Amino acid sequence: MPKEQKQTKVDAEPINLGVEIDLDRVLKTGQTVRQALSKEIGDNLDDEIENQRPLEEKIKKWQKMFRGDRPPKSFPFSNAANIAIPLTRWLIETVFVRIVDAIFSQQKLWIVKSKKEGWRDVAPQIEDALDWWQKHVANLRKTIMSPLMQGMKMGTGVTLLDYERRKRVVVRHASEAEKADKNIKKYKTKGGNLVVKVPITQYEGPVFKGISREDLYVSSDSNSIQEAFMVGYRFYLKPFQVRARVNSEYYPITKEEEEAVLRCTTLDKLKTARIEEGHRDIQYPIKNNVELFTTWVKFDVDEDGEEDDVKVTFSNDSRIILKAVYNPIFYGFRPLQDFVFDPIEYSFDGIGGCEKLEQLQEEIDTLHNQRLDR
């Protein structure tokens, strides 16, 4: 059974699912599971990061082409025409609207059929419950909007099925019994009154999240998330978020390991470019972002001759494993789903609209700028 998690007061927190792996167990090679798994993930992750850099550069280029953002031009003479005709944007957005409308214009997004006679009357109720959940809890329309658009533009978009606990904290005056109870933590207001903070769980269960393609890493020799030796995604936490997860024992690491992880603060250039694309002019660098990776990797941690699909939260810069569990999904699948616009045979990534229209877009822009110059 998963280890019980301490009560916290954060707005949203991951649920402590999965059976933890004994990372201190010594393998036949003389290494601990921690050492062997850390080296295996770190070495492969370094290779995959370098293998993906050309794709990240292409994504950056296609994003600018989609927005009509052209570099400054002074050739063949100063003040030469430098306009962009947003043909790529028109065509992609036209198809995108039709796809979204085809998905969400249905009277019911979910269809449930009973396989046993006694469940026939329950099926419509499950349909209604799923429809309510995807509208009001998962907010599916908003969640898959970015991955779906990225799949059409860049070729591949990715979503993640995750589990979290959503909370809100209620601050109220302490009762007489609570004032007398020394085990209850109380806070004093400016006026001298005693108050207590009560965390209330609003929702606990599955949620959908979008994963940007440049944050996803999958083995280069694989064309499937489920079959890849290693697949995962990069995410960022602030230092206080890391400390909160260590204090709640969600990340069971030592204080020395915690400090080593917190020293590795960074933010990749492509992520910064994405923030700037959101019409936000960044005047100052974004500081104190701890780069972490959630990775599913096939590794025989038990030395029983069978590969185990394990989920590892990993700091690649410090080579520290923050958390390692067996795949917590009951049916064994990896909870990542890719949206491929135009598939390429034996390839994980597809071809997006920006890549298909790149040469045509450049040709049209060149012709219009030459016409204006003449």
Side-chain angles (χ1 to χ4, degrees):
M1 294 297 291
K3 190 175 183 179
E4 187 177 353
Q5 202 166 345
K6 290 184 178 180
Q7 183 73 297
T8 60
K9 297 188 288 292
V10 296
D11 293 334
E13 62 181 3
I15 299 176
N16 204 354
L17 298 177
V19 179
E20 291 189 12
I21 297 170
D22 183 8
L23 296 175
D24 297 322
R25 192 174 67 83
V26 179
L27 299 172
K28 295 177 182 177
T29 58
Q31 292 180 309
T32 63
V33 176
R34 187 190 306 276
Q35 293 170 336
L37 193 57
S38 176
K39 186 179 187 307
E40 192 71 32
I41 294 176
D43 292 347
N44 282 277
L45 196 54
D46 285 340
D47 292 341
E48 297 307 333
I49 289 174
E50 291 303 318
N51 289 339
Q52 189 163 292
R53 291 199 190 280
L55 175 62
E56 293 179 1
E57 292 301 319
K58 289 180 181 178
I59 290 176
K60 192 186 302 183
K61 176 184 177 182
W62 292 333
Q63 280 286 92
K64 290 183 178 180
M65 186 186 77
F66 181 81
R67 298 196 322 269
D69 184 5
R70 294 175 61 86
K73 181 181 177 183
S74 59
F75 181 83
F77 51 84
S78 179
N79 296 324
N82 192 28
I83 67 168
I85 309 300
L87 175 68
T88 301
R89 187 165 193 161
W90 293 338
L91 295 176
I92 291 177
E93 288 183 346
T94 300
V95 179
F96 176 73
V97 170
R98 292 184 178 181
I99 291 177
V100 173
D101 185 62
I103 296 174
F104 292 100
S105 64
Q106 307 298 323
Q107 186 174 3
K108 280 191 175 183
L109 188 61
W110 312 87
I111 297 176
V112 178
K113 292 184 178 180
S114 60
K115 293 187 175 181
K116 294 183 179 180
E117 186 67 27
W119 294 89
R120 182 172 298 177
D121 296 335
V122 181
Q125 300 176 31
I126 296 177
E127 289 178 355
D128 294 337
L130 286 171
D131 192 59
W132 181 89
W133 176 80
Q134 68 93 3
K135 286 181 180 178
H136 302 289
V137 177
N139 200 356
L140 191 60
R141 186 186 182 101
K142 181 179 179 181
T143 303
I144 72 169
M145 198 70 71
S146 292
L148 196 60
M149 173 61 88
Q150 189 174 47
M152 295 190 60
K153 290 164 62 178
M154 311 305 167
T156 308
V158 184
T159 58
L160 166 71
L161 173 63
D162 201 3
Y163 288 79
E164 72 177 18
R165 183 184 291 112
R166 297 175 186 169
K167 296 181 177 181
R168 65 185 179 91
V169 178
V170 176
V171 180
R172 59 173 175 79
H173 290 284
S175 64
E176 294 300 327
E178 289 171 334
K179 291 179 182 179
D181 192 345
K182 295 181 180 180
N183 295 323
I184 298 177
K185 190 173 182 179
K186 293 169 281 292
Y187 304 85
K188 185 174 289 187
T189 64
K190 186 176 181 181
N193 297 320
L194 292 178
V195 297
V196 292
K197 295 181 180 180
V198 182
I200 298 176
T201 301
Q202 293 181 306
Y203 174 74
E204 181 176 322
V207 292
F208 280 107
K209 298 178 181 179
I211 301 294
S212 187
R213 177 61 190 91
E214 61 267 20
D215 288 332
L216 182 82
Y217 292 92
V218 60
S219 298
S220 302
D221 56 353
S222 176
N223 57 3
S224 168
I225 287 176
Q226 304 302 329
E227 297 176 1
F229 163 72
M230 185 179 73
V231 63
Y233 61 93
R234 173 176 51 195
F235 67 100
Y236 295 94
L237 293 176
K238 295 294 183 183
F240 77 90
Q241 293 177 301
V242 176
R243 290 192 182 97
R245 297 187 183 194
V246 173
N247 292 336
S248 67
E249 298 182 5
Y250 181 76
Y251 291 157
I253 59 176
T254 64
K255 284 296 179 183
E256 292 76 13
E257 291 174 327
E258 177 187 347
E259 294 304 319
V261 170
L262 294 178
R263 284 195 293 268
C264 305
T265 56
T266 183
L267 188 66
D268 64 288
K269 295 180 180 179
L270 192 55
K271 185 65 66 177
T272 305
R274 278 208 173 279
I275 296 172
E276 292 174 340
E277 287 166 10
H279 303 289
R280 283 179 284 180
D281 188 12
I282 300 177
Q283 300 292 333
Y284 304 97
I286 301 174
K287 302 175 183 177
N288 298 331
N289 285 276
V290 181
E291 183 184 65
L292 301 174
F293 293 85
T294 294
T295 304
W296 282 263
V297 62
K298 295 180 179 179
F299 190 84
D300 185 8
V301 295
D302 302 319
E303 290 188 306
D304 56 0
E306 296 181 359
E307 290 181 335
D308 300 298
D309 196 20
V310 297
K311 177 185 176 182
V312 181
T313 303
F314 186 70
S315 171
N316 193 42
D317 292 331
S318 62
R319 288 295 202 271
I320 291 176
I321 295 176
L322 285 82
K323 188 177 183 66
V325 298
Y326 295 96
N327 191 349
I329 306 300
F330 179 73
Y331 286 101
F333 67 91
R334 294 166 171 174
L336 293 162
Q337 177 61 51
D338 56 324
F339 298 105
V340 179
F341 180 61
D342 191 357
I344 304 174
E345 61 274 16
Y346 307 111
S347 173
F348 173 76
D349 286 293
I351 301 177
C354 290
E355 184 177 1
K356 285 187 173 185
L357 299 171
E358 183 176 0
Q359 294 183 352
L360 180 61
Q361 180 70 66
E362 291 177 355
E363 177 71 14
I364 291 175
D365 291 345
T366 301
L367 290 174
H368 275 271
N369 285 317
Q370 288 178 347
R371 178 177 60 83
L372 291 172
D373 290 337
R374 287 197 296 270

